[in-house]
Amino acid sequence: MTTNITTSITIFLIFLGLLRVDSFPGLETATGTLASIPAVYVLGDSLVDAGNNNYLAISISKANYPHNGVDFPGSIATGRFCTGKNAADTIAEKFGLPLPPPYLSLKGIFKEEERKAAALSGVNFASGGAGIFNSSDQQLRQSIPLSYQVNNWLSIHKELMSQLDPSEAQIHLSKSLFFVVIGSNDIFDYFGSFKLRQKTNPQQYTQSMADKLKEQLKRLHDTGARRLLIVGVAQIGCTPGQRAKNSMHECDEEANTWGSLYNKALVKMLQQLKEELGSSMTYSYFDKFNSLHDIVTNPARYGFADVKSACCGRGELNAQLPCSLVSNLCSDRTKYLFWDLYGHPTEAAARTIVDLMLSDDSQYSSPLTLTQLVSS
């Protein structure tokens, strides 16, 4: 989940590990037959970036080098901040869709056919380091903030409308899934900016985050988006990098408190948006904060052996240097919750969190689970 090089690459979703389907109740439904959807469109930060930042010339928020991608087919460092596939990829696979390609990979005169196909099956607009606000980070073109991602969606929407007649397009968009994972970098911006903290208190700032997100969700709705999967901020104080800052390897509870404040504002905003838009909008909110807490508290239940250290890095908790070719690499990546010091999840972790989203028994989804959302 980077607004700056270290806090960046934000924080995690903590999309959690491979697990046996019978390891705890409720996940059996994630393996059953799912309703079909025509496309997945992804907006967010490094938790779901598929490589858009590779195309930003100045950005240092990139993951297109080893050991990133060690478990991706061909061991390719695609630009995903992960061992392999991330949560957006996993959702697409669950519904039998191709992996949504990064939007910026579809630009150019030789990409016309790829662009046409992706417009109908799904595109990934996410950018490592992105936030809800157009922060100073964007001025250096290190990331693509959410409002710019929605602008990019408008370009794909135009492409889609050129291929389908109006009634077909309306049906396509109403049945597609819009997956939004963002917010951690905005909190780290606030945490690291004395000027921001002078101007506004945490409650005001997190409320303004929710208000600004609402604006962008309404823009999506105006183009025909009807099914929204929105992920809250995780326990951003419990990443390996945060834990490594103290000798007891404890979480930074102040950072967690700010994340919790934002999640409360987000939940209330989504309820208000639903009231305003009525039956033309359905959504699922996934509580990443409490799902992470449960996984960290009960790691064996979810198939994990290490929920504090980074799989790739160096130093204390493998979390004092970023993941790179010369980093220490854990031997069994399926047993680690975190890939790097920033708290990006391993592929195993991403698959577990998606199973939690799909589970009808999940206590972390409201008012609908992902399975119920796509069937609505």
Side-chain angles (χ1 to χ4, degrees), residues 38-56:
V40 176
Y41 302 103
V42 184
L43 301 97
D45 54 31
S46 56
L47 293 168
V48 286
D49 186 355
N52 278 303
N53 280 18
N54 296 351
Y55 299 88
L56 302 180

Side-chain angles (χ1 to χ4, degrees), residues 206-225:
T206 52
Q207 181 60 53
S208 66
M209 285 173 60
D211 292 342
K212 182 60 69 172
L213 177 59
K214 183 179 181 181
E215 291 178 14
Q216 302 308 320
L217 296 181
K218 291 179 81 169
R219 291 179 68 198
L220 292 175
H221 180 268
D222 288 344
T223 65

Side-chain angles (χ1 to χ4, degrees), residues 7 21 25 41 43 48 50 55 63 72 114 121 134 136 153 169 173 201 209 213 216 238 245 260 266 286 315 344 367:
T7 74
V21 170
Y41 302 103
L43 301 97
V48 286
Y55 299 88
F72 197 84
E114 290 179 47
S121 63
N134 297 347
S136 58
W153 156 247
L173 290 168
N201 64 43
M209 285 173 60
L213 177 59
Q216 302 308 320
C238 295
K245 292 178 180 180
S260 182
L266 174 59
F286 185 76
H344 294 110

Side-chain angles (χ1 to χ4, degrees), residues 40 87-95 177 179 229 354 357 370:
V40 176
D89 301 319
T90 302
I91 287 175
E93 286 186 331
K94 290 282 188 182
F95 290 97
L177 181 67
F179 182 32
L229 172 59
V354 170
M357 290 177 176
L370 177 53

Side-chain angles (χ1 to χ4, degrees), residues 292-368:
L292 169 63
H293 176 76
D294 190 29
I295 288 164
V296 170
T297 305
N298 305 289
R301 184 183 183 214
Y302 294 88
F304 293 108
D306 193 320
V307 293
K308 293 183 178 181
S309 305
C311 173
C312 183
R314 298 185 73 89
E316 193 78 10
L317 295 181
N318 229 17
Q320 292 181 313
L321 288 174
C323 180
S324 70
L325 185 60
V326 297
S327 297
N328 298 321
L329 185 65
C330 65
S331 58
D332 188 351
R333 292 175 289 280
T334 68
K335 299 298 183 183
Y336 278 70
L337 179 61
F338 297 111
W339 170 232
D340 57 17
L341 69 89
Y342 305 110
H344 294 110
T346 59
E347 179 176 331
R351 292 189 180 281
T352 299
I353 204 73
V354 170
D355 280 344
L356 285 172
M357 290 177 176
L358 289 165
S359 171
D360 283 335
D361 292 336
S362 176
Q363 60 185 302
Y364 306 117
S365 297
S366 63
L368 303 172

Side-chain angles (χ1 to χ4, degrees), residues 45-113:
D45 54 31
S46 56
L47 293 168
V48 286
D49 186 355
N52 278 303
N53 280 18
N54 296 351
Y55 299 88
L56 302 180
I58 303 175
S59 179
I60 54 176
S61 302
K62 296 181 180 179
N64 57 347
Y65 52 85
H67 294 293
N68 294 297
V70 62
D71 295 324
F72 197 84
S75 296
I76 300 170
T78 60
R80 291 167 171 84
F81 298 83
C82 188
T83 53
K85 297 172 184 175
N86 61 32
D89 301 319
T90 302
I91 287 175
E93 286 186 331
K94 290 282 188 182
F95 290 97
L97 295 169
L99 305 188
Y103 168 77
L104 293 181
S105 73
L106 303 172
K107 302 192 75 173
I109 59 174
F110 299 110
K111 297 298 184 76
E112 185 176 350
E113 293 306 313

Side-chain angles (χ1 to χ4, degrees), residues 116-129:
K116 285 181 178 179
L120 296 176
S121 63
V123 177
N124 190 316
F125 304 93
S127 172

